[in-house]
């Protein structure tokens, strides 16, 4: 019997993703660092607060976050658990509408403002076009998410970032898909005077051939592509009904399964 494993693109088994909230002007410097080292991030914005105070301007959203993901964070950053369901829906939908008009693609991700969520709120999210949402409780581990509406990060960037990065980079368990997920707010680097921390982290983890650098939604979409693969009972064929390419490992050999193709294994 063959041993068949799902893989990340090009047969990799590690993924790194970053997640930053609020759209502070410090995102400009953070994006510059990410781009320098080939790191991809998801930036959760409050459309109703753009152009105000220390927030970025609406006019720069598309160009600033090009190559990254813009996601929702509710229109005015309310504590959602205290809001009636009608307001939760309006907060998310208005956020999506404005952000989508700025970036030119569907906004499908969320992080809960103030980390506030419950089952009532989570149950609403598929109905308003949200496919995942990040929470703030860290795992300090590298497991893939079990519940995309309670997507727990590995750590905040102030939580043993370099130590966890070293463990992640040195992780040698090809039988597992592993993910390092870092979150925070860019303004924290200004307040704490530790921009050197994120620079050192990105330099250390960036540019590695065994790591896939992805946004949150790229991970969600790729996992969906993997789940849609159709294998024969004997494990000697696989059909990919998606348009996107998937990668698998068959007895240790990486196999590319292009969208719409039937591959003999």
């Amino acid at each position: 019997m063959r041993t068949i494993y799902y893989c990340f693109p090009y047969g990799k088994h590690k993924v790194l993703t970053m997640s930053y909230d609020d759209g502070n002007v410090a995102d400009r410097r953070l994006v510059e660092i990410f781009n320098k080292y080939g790191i991809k991030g998801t930036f959760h914005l409050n459309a109703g607060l753009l152009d105000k105070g220390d927030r970025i301007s609406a006019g720069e959203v598309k160009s600033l976050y090009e190559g990254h993901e813009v996601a929702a964070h509710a229109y005015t950053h309310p504590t959602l658990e205290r809001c009636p369901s009608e307001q939760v829906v309006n907060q998310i939908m208005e956020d999506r509408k404005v952000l989508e008009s700025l970036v030119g693609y569907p906004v499908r991700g969320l992080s809960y403002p103030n980390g506030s969520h419950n089952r009532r709120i989570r149950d609403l999210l598929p109905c308003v076009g949200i496919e995942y949402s990040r929470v703030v409780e860290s795992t300090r581990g590298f497991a893939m998410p079990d519940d995309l509406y309670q997507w727990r990060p590995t750590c905040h960037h102030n939580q043993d970032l370099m130590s966890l990065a070293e463990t992640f980079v040195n992780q040698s368990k090809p039988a597992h898909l592993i993910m390092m997920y870092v979150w925070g707010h860019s303004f924290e680097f200004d307040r704490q005077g530790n921009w050197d921390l994120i620079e050192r982290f990105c330099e250390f983890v960036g540019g590695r051939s065994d790591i896939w650098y992805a946004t949150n939604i790229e991970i969600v979409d790729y996992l969906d592509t993997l789940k849609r693969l159709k294998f024969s009972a004997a494990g000697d064929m696989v059909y990919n009904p998606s348009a996107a390419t998937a990668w698998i490992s068959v007895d240790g050999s990486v196999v590319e399964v292009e969208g719409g193709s039937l591959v003999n294994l």
Side-chain angles (χ1 to χ4, degrees):
M1 181 180 293
R2 292 178 172 85
T3 298
I4 301 174
Y5 286 140
Y6 293 135
C7 299
F8 291 133
Y10 306 101
K12 301 176 184 183
H13 75 283
K14 297 179 183 180
V15 63
L16 173 72
T17 193
M18 314 292 285
S19 178
Y20 278 78
D21 294 349
D22 293 357
N24 187 273
V25 292
D27 278 4
R28 298 166 185 161
R29 184 172 177 180
L30 183 60
V31 169
E32 184 178 349
I33 293 171
F34 284 176
N35 291 343
K36 179 179 178 180
Y37 296 105
I39 307 299
K40 284 197 172 186
T42 293
F43 292 86
H44 303 273
L45 309 182
N46 311 108
L49 302 180
L50 297 174
D51 296 298
K52 296 180 180 179
D54 58 2
R55 303 300 181 100
I56 62 167
S57 66
E60 67 183 304
V61 168
K62 184 173 184 178
S63 59
L64 175 61
Y65 299 114
E66 184 177 2
H68 303 277
E69 176 195 0
V70 168
H73 197 40
Y75 190 73
T76 58
H77 203 285
T79 302
L80 295 180
E81 286 180 273
R82 294 192 61 188
C83 298
S85 296
E86 293 84 354
Q87 186 178 7
V88 173
V89 170
N90 288 334
Q91 280 280 340
I92 294 172
M93 290 298 284
E94 288 306 308
D95 202 27
R96 287 190 61 208
K97 288 175 185 178
V98 175
L99 295 177
E100 289 171 355
S101 73
L102 297 176
V103 298
Y105 55 79
V107 167
R108 299 183 284 140
L110 177 74
S111 66
Y112 299 108
N114 299 320
S116 173
H117 65 99
N118 55 28
R119 177 168 292 182
R120 171 179 63 92
I121 293 165
R122 295 192 299 271
D123 287 347
L124 286 172
L125 297 185
C127 303
V128 292
I130 296 297
E131 298 180 30
Y132 75 84
S133 192
R134 195 209 74 232
V135 301
V136 297
E137 296 82 13
S138 300
T139 67
R140 302 296 185 99
F142 308 110
M144 297 303 295
D146 181 57
D147 181 351
L148 287 172
Y149 292 107
Q150 297 184 81
W151 194 346
R152 297 180 64 191
T154 300
C155 64
H156 183 280
H157 63 243
N158 284 333
Q159 297 173 318
D160 300 319
L161 181 63
M162 295 307 299
S163 175
L164 288 165
E166 185 173 352
T167 301
F168 175 69
V169 164
N170 294 326
Q171 189 76 261
S172 58
K173 294 182 179 180
H176 299 270
L177 293 179
I178 62 174
M179 173 191 68
M180 185 167 187
Y181 186 136
V182 180
W183 82 281
H185 305 86
S186 60
F187 62 76
E188 294 172 302
F189 297 116
D190 281 333
R191 290 182 180 177
Q192 297 167 11
N194 62 348
W195 279 101
D196 64 304
L197 173 64
I198 195 65
E199 180 95 34
R200 285 188 291 112
F201 170 79
C202 291
E203 182 179 19
F204 178 69
V205 300
R208 294 180 180 268
S209 60
D210 63 337
I211 296 175
W212 177 36
Y213 303 95
T215 65
N216 289 187
I217 198 62
E218 286 175 334
I219 294 171
V220 170
D221 285 343
Y222 187 72
L223 292 177
D224 184 61
T225 298
L226 291 179
K227 291 175 184 177
R228 296 186 67 203
L229 292 176
K230 311 299 181 183
F231 291 89
S232 62
D236 57 354
M237 294 178 289
V238 60
Y239 169 59
N240 182 1
S242 304
T245 297
W247 281 263
I248 59 174
S249 168
V250 182
D251 292 334
S253 297
V254 175
V255 177
E256 180 180 357
V257 188
E258 294 182 351
S261 68
L262 174 66
V263 176
N264 292 313
L265 303 177

